[in-house]
Amino acid sequence: MPPNLLVLWAFLLLHVFAGAFRLDILKQNVEPQEGHVRLTGSESPAEGRVEVFHSGKWGTVCDDGWDMKEAQVVCRQLNFPGAKSVITGKSYKLASGPIWLDDITCNGNENNLVSCSFKGWGITDCTHKEDVGVACETGSSSLTNKTSTHSMDHSISLSNELGQLFDTATNCDLNILLQSPTGNRQKDDLPEMDGTTICAHKTILSLFPNFNVFPETTHITVEVRKPCHPYFSSLIRYLYTRKIDVTFSSALCLHQMAASFGVKQLMEDVGRLFTQVLPDDSTFYTQVSIYQYAVETNDKLLEENLIQYLAWNYQNLTSSPAWDDLPVELLQALLTRSDLVVPDEYFVLETLESWIIQRALLNGSDTVVGLLSHIRFPMIPAKKLLELESRSPLYKIYENVYREFALRAFQFNVLLFSDLLTNQSIKNESGNYSPRIYTALPWSKVLRESSKTSSYPYQIHGYGGYGGYGGQYYPNPSPYIQSTFTRPYNRYGGYGSISCSTCSKYVHNSSSQQFDVSRQNHKLGFKCL
């Protein structure tokens, strides 16, 4: 055998054994360690939702900022040769664990995903519908194995070719009569309609049952609002190519039509876009109307995004013209959230009472009691609780309700931490015994540089970091500012003291508070980003 051929066979054998060894490692049941990653939700071991192991739990990763660099790191960490693609918006099996990572940035040469930079464990503004997935290169385990499969993906060219098929109407077999009311009336008093005909392919549209296209169908009639008329052809073209350009002027129409015709992925992605292109409407009428539209179209993702936006802007919302007309269900949804950005809990109670009075709901006992039950009375200082009887406009009407909630708050503030851990009623209503994002003292403090450097203030709570909602950051703060403040005497039988140095951003780690049981000292955590 020629020497060159011997070298080639040796190389192929080495490649085969190396591939077999890698696959064997993947099949072993290894106990997960901190920072391990895995792919789940897919039948292929080389594709799936990215999950990372932290603090004894598997959690997902948000798709914000993901590209091939992050995908390469994940696939190499799993011993694959590399990454084929980043997958977003795909419905894998629903994840129930935490979202561990968000806004992660890799250079592409890291050995593991957690070596990349990210906000911090569990700090995210995403939902599980934004979990990222990847598809990894598997390589060929053997060039001589007749049963081996070599996947080739040329779907990008297929998308372009299908787009050309729609544009040229080649062999189209379905006429779509698109009608929109002009606002005028005909002589028979029927509404005047403006019509356009589009020729499409029934095979494509039959994939979406809401179009009601069957083998025998030759034409259908579709009615849309006049402002949406220009965007209908783009929607039909999207069904061919899965590509579409969306602007703020077209977003509402495309979302509405996608909802009507059951194009779920487009509906969800356009809904997510709403929160990025929301107009700067200080009246909040636009934001509230989009929320109501999300409820009507049953777009849960858009609904969640709007509620989150309003929660981060709650203080401005309460002073806006839209506040007095806020729907009850929207206010109730806001009051249940821990990411409500407010000065303190007493502010939430005052704004709720003001809203109830403006809506003339003083005697609507069920509604009022339901809303008051979402106020976190244990987070209100005892002195203000004692003043409720004289200061609250609703106290006399709902005296028994206020007394019950105030009693729970007093109990919470005087019981020892060891007793709180075993109190079943507190366990059952843990949400009401947790802080929100409070921006006033004693929950947060403004740091100021000396006049020699800058007069800009910095707030160490850092809640404005979520898209700028609820606070402000100023650029390039000095890394050498330090400040200490002490919380008032609290329910753990001690004083809490916090010392911080300023970096570019701070996040008040209210969702992961730490308790030192031995000293009964409540420590508020702040993280430097």
Side-chain angles (χ1 to χ4, degrees), residues 15-16 18-20 22-23 26 44 46 75 79-84 135-143 145 147-152:
H15 183 72
V16 169
R22 177 183 61 79
L23 292 175
L26 292 177
S44 169
C75 291
N79 295 308
F80 290 106
K84 286 199 298 186
C136 298
E137 296 281 0
T138 58
S140 57
S141 59
S142 173
L143 296 176
N145 187 347
T147 62
S148 62
T149 300
H150 308 278
S151 298
M152 298 181 183

Side-chain angles (χ1 to χ4, degrees), residues 24-187:
D24 185 57
I25 288 177
L26 292 177
K27 292 178 182 178
Q28 292 179 17
N29 293 321
V30 180
E31 189 72 22
Q33 302 295 321
E34 181 73 16
H36 278 188
V37 294
R38 68 180 183 183
L39 303 180
T40 63
S42 171
E43 294 182 359
S44 169
E47 178 191 334
R49 178 178 54 246
V50 178
E51 295 188 359
V52 60
F53 193 76
H54 173 64
S55 292
K57 292 182 180 179
W58 287 102
T60 62
V61 182
C62 181
D63 62 13
D64 289 353
W66 263 73
D67 59 24
M68 288 299 291
K69 290 181 180 179
E70 288 75 26
Q72 292 286 6
V73 173
V74 169
C75 291
R76 284 203 312 271
Q77 185 176 350
L78 291 171
N79 295 308
F80 290 106
K84 286 199 298 186
S85 62
V86 176
I87 302 171
T88 60
K90 185 169 181 178
S91 298
Y92 293 113
K93 295 176 182 178
L94 184 63
S96 58
I99 301 175
W100 279 135
L101 302 180
D102 189 7
D103 287 341
I104 188 165
T105 303
C106 300
N107 295 321
N109 55 5
E110 292 86 352
N111 293 325
N112 51 70
L113 186 63
V114 297
S115 295
C116 304
S117 64
F118 55 94
K119 283 183 175 180
W121 291 105
I123 300 175
T124 181
D125 56 359
C126 298
T127 67
H128 277 302
K129 290 189 177 181
E130 298 170 84
D131 289 341
V132 74
V134 298
C136 298
E137 296 281 0
T138 58
S140 57
S141 59
S142 173
L143 296 176
T144 59
N145 187 347
K146 295 181 180 180
T147 62
S148 62
T149 300
H150 308 278
S151 298
M152 298 181 183
D153 187 352
H154 302 152
S155 58
I156 293 179
S157 61
L158 175 62
S159 175
N160 294 333
E161 290 164 2
L162 286 174
Q164 293 174 7
L165 182 67
F166 171 74
D167 295 337
T168 59
T170 303
N171 296 326
C172 64
D173 54 2
L174 179 68
N175 287 317
I176 305 174
L177 176 59
L178 176 64
Q179 293 185 329
S180 300
T182 63
N184 300 322
R185 291 280 176 178
Q186 300 179 0
K187 292 181 180 180

Side-chain angles (χ1 to χ4, degrees), residues 200-387:
H201 299 79
K202 66 176 69 176
T203 301
I204 299 293
L205 267 68
S206 65
L207 299 174
F208 300 89
N210 289 14
F211 280 100
N212 293 318
V213 173
F214 305 99
E216 65 275 10
T217 306
T218 58
H219 66 275
I220 59 174
T221 300
V222 175
E223 184 175 330
V224 299
R225 297 185 301 114
K226 184 68 175 178
C228 297
H229 198 116
Y231 308 116
F232 183 78
S233 179
S234 298
L235 172 70
I236 299 300
R237 195 178 195 278
Y238 167 83
L239 303 183
Y240 285 71
T241 66
R242 297 302 193 272
K243 297 178 181 178
I244 193 167
D245 293 325
V246 183
T247 63
F248 182 71
S249 58
S250 68
L252 185 60
C253 284
L254 289 173
H255 185 276
Q256 190 175 52
M257 291 188 292
S260 299
F261 296 113
V263 189
K264 186 177 179 181
Q265 186 173 359
L266 179 62
M267 180 188 75
E268 291 181 350
D269 285 347
V270 174
R272 189 180 294 116
L273 182 64
F274 271 120
T275 58
Q276 301 176 25
V277 297
L278 274 175
D280 186 13
D281 181 5
S282 60
T283 69
F284 281 86
Y285 282 127
T286 301
Q287 293 89 328
V288 173
S289 65
I290 294 178
Y291 161 80
Q292 293 173 315
Y293 167 75
V295 174
E296 292 172 4
T297 57
N298 197 33
D299 187 339
K300 297 299 182 182
L301 180 60
L302 178 58
E303 181 182 341
E304 165 62 21
N305 285 338
L306 265 296
I307 293 175
Q308 189 176 67
Y309 175 90
L310 294 172
W312 290 341
N313 288 273
Y314 182 82
Q315 190 169 356
N316 290 331
L317 173 64
T318 59
S319 58
S320 71
W323 172 250
D324 292 341
D325 300 321
L326 204 69
V328 175
E329 65 276 6
L330 174 54
L331 179 56
Q332 189 168 11
L334 289 171
L335 294 177
T336 61
R337 299 184 71 95
S338 292
D339 61 349
L340 201 68
V341 181
V342 289
D344 53 36
E345 193 66 26
Y346 195 73
F347 175 85
V348 183
L349 176 59
E350 287 182 315
T351 54
L352 173 59
E353 291 178 334
S354 171
W355 181 89
I356 290 171
I357 293 171
Q358 289 293 332
R359 294 291 294 268
L361 293 174
L362 290 176
N363 296 318
S365 58
D366 291 342
T367 301
V368 172
V369 173
L371 292 170
L372 286 173
S373 67
H374 296 301
I375 298 295
R376 302 183 180 184
F377 283 89
M379 298 297 109
I380 299 176
K383 182 179 179 181
K384 288 191 174 182
L385 288 173
L386 290 173
E387 295 173 354

